[in-house]
Amino acid sequence: MKRGLNMRGGLIIKPNKISKISMASGNIFREITSWKNLETVFNQEYKNLTPQHKRDRDVLDFKTHFKQRIKTLSFNLQNSSYRPSSVKYFFLFPKKRKIALINFRDRIVQRAVLNVLRPKLEIIFSPCCYAFRPNNSVQEVQKRVLQLINNYPVGVKLDIKSFFDSISHKRLLCILQQYVHCSQTIRLLQILIKQGGPRKGILQGSCLSPLLSNIYLTPFDKQMSKNRHYFRYCDDLLLLTDSKTKAQGGLNYMKGNLERDYGLTIKREKTHIFDIYHGFSFLGVFFRKEPTA
């Protein structure tokens, strides 16, 4: 595995040869914009709609003029004339989470990109990354933590504040370019990413955003998982260690790298070092090390 420097001097891990070959083989963009892929995505998106949303104007228009709309969308994507519609938002309480309402045509484009890139990019993710991945779940990471806590007396919990809203477009595209060796696909990704804001933020409510969030922290995950028992589920991070000294060093390293190299902010009230004998909560489950006899 080779290493390099990002635009601010922080460490970025470059993809290995297998990743490069898998992403460079064939024409990724042609696969994304093909009639077959767009038709498959339309059927997926339409099937997932509620009866009420199937009556929305943009959905009815696309279904009524299906062949023409797919043909036009494919053409616009291939000649770089595609531009997404403006995004509307609503808020989920009590956390006041800003959720995007995305036009049906734009959801088809996002899903078309996701369907092609996700299986190709799965190989780059670290085993310590559990969120938004096939065959991984909250239960899987909880099971792994439960297997390990009796061997480690100290842990570190860290939460990232407003993770999706804080993702830097410049850094994200820099990381994507290491793995996606197709300039047309990168240009399309740039257009879709810019929907989240002029310089930072990816849309909560977009099917593509979970994949992008995992890509963003892949270099960090790979560094953290070297000789460490580290777990990440989206913006929730956990590190198990055998001493408070190592725990403090791990916390300093995580905090410094996330803030300096990734432009993220740590949620200080939910970030701390803890004694595993006293127990801790992670992803909705309370864990505690069993006392020795």
Side-chain angles (χ1 to χ4, degrees):
M1 189 70 72
K2 296 181 180 179
R3 299 181 183 180
L5 293 174
N6 71 2
M7 72 289 295
R8 295 187 61 185
L11 188 64
I12 279 187
I13 298 178
K14 295 184 179 180
N16 58 31
K17 291 181 180 179
I18 295 175
S19 301
K20 287 184 177 181
I21 291 170
S22 67
M23 291 307 293
S25 60
N27 191 321
I28 300 168
F29 189 72
R30 187 178 300 167
E31 190 177 349
I32 290 170
T33 60
S34 69
W35 175 283
K36 181 181 179 181
N37 189 37
L38 293 175
E39 182 180 27
T40 298
V41 167
F42 167 81
N43 290 327
Q44 289 174 334
E45 286 292 322
Y46 189 80
K47 183 180 179 180
N48 291 333
L49 292 174
T50 65
Q52 179 182 352
H53 286 131
K54 286 180 179 179
R55 295 193 292 269
D56 288 350
R57 183 178 299 176
D58 58 334
V59 178
L60 285 172
D61 175 76
F62 212 102
K63 183 172 176 57
T64 302
H65 307 286
F66 171 74
K67 289 186 177 181
Q68 183 59 43
R69 294 293 179 261
I70 291 288
K71 181 179 178 181
T72 301
L73 182 56
S74 179
F75 176 80
N76 289 342
L77 287 167
Q78 290 172 9
N79 71 6
S80 301
S81 62
Y82 165 78
R83 294 294 180 272
S85 303
S86 58
V87 178
K88 297 179 180 178
Y89 297 92
F90 69 95
F91 289 93
L92 281 180
F93 293 91
K95 293 186 177 181
K96 200 178 181 181
R97 186 169 295 157
K98 188 178 179 182
I99 307 297
L101 288 170
I102 301 165
N103 178 277
F104 186 66
R105 179 197 64 150
D106 297 335
R107 294 209 304 273
I108 289 174
V109 173
Q110 293 173 7
R111 179 74 62 179
V113 174
L114 179 68
N115 281 6
V116 173
L117 290 189
R118 182 164 58 185
K120 298 180 187 297
L121 287 168
E122 180 62 25
I123 192 174
I124 75 171
F125 297 134
S126 171
C128 66
C129 170
Y130 284 84
F132 317 125
R133 296 181 63 192
N135 303 317
N136 274 358
S137 64
V138 171
Q139 290 74 27
E140 286 299 317
V141 65
Q142 290 168 344
K143 180 180 177 181
R144 182 62 180 147
V145 171
L146 192 60
Q147 291 170 345
L148 290 171
I149 58 171
N150 285 332
N151 299 324
Y152 295 94
V154 185
V156 179
K157 270 187 62 179
L158 185 147
D159 274 24
I160 300 171
K161 184 177 180 180
S162 304
F163 179 33
F164 278 30
D165 293 337
S166 303
I167 288 176
S168 161
H169 296 172
K170 185 176 181 180
R171 291 184 184 89
L172 176 57
L173 287 164
C174 179
I175 296 168
L176 277 165
Q177 286 169 348
Q178 296 181 58
Y179 299 108
V180 181
H181 299 270
C182 173
S183 59
Q184 290 173 296
T185 301
I186 290 294
R187 280 197 295 269
L188 176 57
L189 283 167
Q190 185 173 17
I191 289 169
L192 297 176
I193 289 167
K194 290 295 182 185
Q195 284 187 281
R199 295 180 182 174
K200 67 177 184 177
I202 56 176
L203 296 176
Q204 295 194 60
S206 163
C207 65
L208 193 56
S209 291
L211 177 68
L212 295 176
S213 73
N214 277 344
I215 292 168
Y216 192 69
L217 285 184
T218 288
F220 178 82
D221 289 339
K222 289 182 182 293
Q223 281 299 107
M224 281 300 302
S225 60
K226 288 183 177 181
N227 303 316
R228 298 183 182 97
H229 289 294
Y230 159 81
F231 309 87
R232 183 175 67 82
Y233 195 93
C234 190
D235 53 2
D236 291 307
L237 285 64
L238 177 69
L239 177 66
L240 303 179
T241 70
D242 56 14
S243 72
K244 288 188 176 180
T245 301
K246 289 182 180 179
Q248 187 62 58
L251 175 58
N252 293 343
Y253 180 87
M254 288 192 288
K255 180 177 178 294
N257 274 261
L258 290 171
E259 292 181 343
R260 180 185 65 248
D261 297 336
Y262 296 89
L264 300 173
T265 302
I266 305 309
K267 196 179 293 183
R268 299 185 185 279
E269 67 274 16
K270 291 190 176 182
T271 297
H272 59 276
I273 296 171
F274 57 88
D275 187 326
I276 292 179
Y277 281 111
H278 296 154
F280 64 99
S281 293
F282 184 60
L283 301 175
V285 170
F286 185 78
F287 297 89
R288 183 166 54 195
K289 183 174 182 176
E290 294 295 331
T292 56

